Amino acid sequence: MRCPFCGSEDTQVKDSRPAEDFTSIRRRRICPDCGGRFTTFERVQLRELMVLKKTGRKAPFDRNKLVRSFQIALRKRPVDADRIERAVSGIVRRLESSGEAEISSEQIGLQVLEALKSLDDVAFVRYASVYRDFSHAEDFEKVIEEINAKIARDPGLEPGGQS
């Protein structure tokens, strides 16, 4: 691992342990050349995934884009970072174990919608408004009616997706 401070290619691992979500390894490293200390995370990657865009273009799957989608939808919402990380890791795991090397952006979007529906209703509506290309107030009303129907079926749910 290259040192981010001096660029040396010879860094040493001082400590390794599972990360909080148990889907990655957290490593503390030190550079013997400059003395810089830094942390790296190591994840299992089952296969190289390609995302098939609506335009037909292909792009490598980027986990960070998935994380950013969740962060944008959940901005200023009371959802723990651990729950977000578990949702992202679950989606990545399902995509990698699907057996497909190419996944459509639509499939990924549907999985994000499903995850957000269980995390937070407001974030779900935010993401759905972009993903489903809402253009009228009626589009929002339909989604809100879906959420209200879900709450009516399970009165233990609080508005906001938290139970």
Side-chain angles (χ1 to χ4, degrees), residues 1 3-4 6 31 41 45 69 74 77-78 87 91 101 122 135 140 146 156 158 160:
M1 173 63 60
C3 174
C6 71
C31 175
F41 291 88
Q45 183 174 343
S69 293
L74 289 161
R77 299 297 304 155
I91 290 172
V122 173
S135 55
F140 285 96
E146 286 176 29
E158 298 174 11

Coordinates of all heavy atoms in Angstrom, one line a residue, residues 1 3-4 6 31 41 45 69 74 77-78 87 91 101 122 135 140 146 156 158 160:
M1 N 0.9 -1.2 0.0 CA 0.0 0.0 0.0 C 0.9 1.2 0.0 O 1.8 1.4 0.8 CB -0.9 0.0 1.2 CG -1.7 1.2 1.5 SD -3.0 1.6 0.2 CE -4.0 0.2 0.2
C3 N 2.1 5.0 0.6 CA 1.8 6.0 1.7 C 1.2 7.3 1.0 O 1.7 7.8 0.0 CB 3.1 6.4 2.3 SG 3.0 7.8 3.5
P4 N 0.0 7.7 1.6 CA -0.6 8.9 1.0 C 0.1 10.2 1.3 O -0.2 11.2 0.7 CB -2.0 8.9 1.8 CG -1.8 8.2 3.0 CD -0.7 7.2 2.8
C6 N 3.9 10.5 1.6 CA 5.2 10.7 0.9 C 5.3 9.8 -0.4 O 6.2 10.0 -1.2 CB 6.4 10.3 1.8 SG 6.5 8.6 2.2
C31 N 4.1 4.4 7.8 CA 5.2 4.5 6.7 C 6.5 4.6 7.4 O 6.7 5.5 8.2 CB 4.9 5.7 5.9 SG 6.2 6.0 4.6
F41 N -9.2 0.2 4.5 CA -10.3 -0.7 4.6 C -10.2 -1.7 3.5 O -10.0 -1.3 2.3 CB -11.6 -0.1 4.6 CG -11.9 0.7 5.9 CD1 -11.5 2.1 6.0 CD2 -12.5 0.2 7.0 CE1 -11.7 2.8 7.1 CE2 -12.7 0.9 8.2 CZ -12.3 2.2 8.2
Q45 N -14.3 -8.6 -2.9 CA -15.0 -8.3 -4.1 C -15.2 -9.6 -4.9 O -14.2 -10.1 -5.4 CB -14.2 -7.2 -5.0 CG -14.9 -6.8 -6.2 CD -14.2 -5.7 -7.0 OE1 -13.4 -5.0 -6.4 NE2 -14.5 -5.6 -8.2
S69 N -25.7 8.2 -3.1 CA -27.1 8.3 -3.4 C -27.9 8.2 -2.1 O -28.9 8.9 -1.8 CB -27.5 7.1 -4.3 OG -27.0 7.2 -5.5
L74 N -30.9 10.8 2.3 CA -31.0 10.8 3.8 C -30.5 12.0 4.5 O -30.4 12.1 5.7 CB -30.4 9.5 4.4 CG -31.1 8.2 4.1 CD1 -30.2 7.0 4.2 CD2 -32.3 8.1 4.9
R77 N -31.8 13.5 7.9 CA -32.8 12.6 8.4 C -32.1 11.8 9.5 O -30.9 11.5 9.5 CB -33.2 11.6 7.3 CG -33.9 12.3 6.1 CD -35.2 13.0 6.5 NE -36.1 12.1 7.1 CZ -37.0 12.5 7.9 NH1 -37.2 13.8 8.3 NH2 -37.9 11.6 8.5
P78 N -32.9 11.4 10.5 CA -32.4 10.7 11.7 C -32.1 9.2 11.4 O -32.7 8.3 12.0 CB -33.5 10.9 12.7 CG -34.7 10.9 11.9 CD -34.4 11.6 10.6
A87 N -27.3 -1.3 4.6 CA -28.1 -1.3 3.4 C -27.3 -1.3 2.1 O -27.5 -2.1 1.2 CB -29.0 -0.1 3.4
I91 N -27.0 -4.4 -0.7 CA -27.2 -4.3 -2.1 C -26.0 -4.8 -2.9 O -26.1 -5.5 -3.9 CB -27.5 -2.8 -2.4 CG1 -28.9 -2.4 -1.9 CG2 -27.4 -2.6 -4.0 CD1 -29.2 -0.9 -2.0
A101 N -22.6 -10.3 -14.6 CA -21.5 -9.4 -14.7 C -21.9 -8.0 -15.0 O -21.3 -7.0 -14.7 CB -20.5 -9.9 -15.7
V122 N -39.3 9.7 4.1 CA -38.9 11.0 3.5 C -37.8 10.7 2.4 O -37.9 11.2 1.3 CB -38.6 12.0 4.5 CG1 -38.0 13.3 3.8 CG2 -39.7 12.4 5.4
S135 N -42.9 14.7 -12.3 CA -43.1 16.0 -13.0 C -44.3 16.8 -12.5 O -44.4 17.9 -12.8 CB -43.1 15.8 -14.5 OG -44.2 14.9 -14.8
F140 N -46.2 12.8 -6.5 CA -45.8 12.8 -5.0 C -47.0 12.2 -4.2 O -46.8 11.4 -3.3 CB -45.5 14.2 -4.5 CG -44.1 14.7 -4.9 CD1 -44.0 15.5 -6.1 CD2 -43.0 14.3 -4.2 CE1 -42.7 15.9 -6.5 CE2 -41.7 14.7 -4.6 CZ -41.6 15.5 -5.7
E146 N -49.1 5.4 -1.1 CA -48.5 4.1 -0.9 C -48.0 4.0 0.5 O -48.2 3.0 1.2 CB -47.4 3.9 -1.9 CG -47.8 3.6 -3.3 CD -46.5 3.5 -4.2 OE1 -45.4 3.1 -3.7 OE2 -46.6 3.8 -5.4
G156 N -47.9 -0.2 13.8 CA -46.8 -0.1 14.7 C -45.7 0.8 14.0 O -44.8 1.2 14.7
E158 N -44.1 4.1 12.6 CA -44.2 5.6 12.8 C -44.0 6.2 11.4 O -43.2 5.7 10.6 CB -43.1 6.1 13.7 CG -43.2 5.5 15.1 CD -42.0 5.9 15.9 OE1 -41.3 6.8 15.5 OE2 -41.8 5.4 17.0
G160 N -42.0 8.3 8.8 CA -40.6 8.5 8.7 C -39.9 7.1 8.5 O -38.7 7.1 8.3

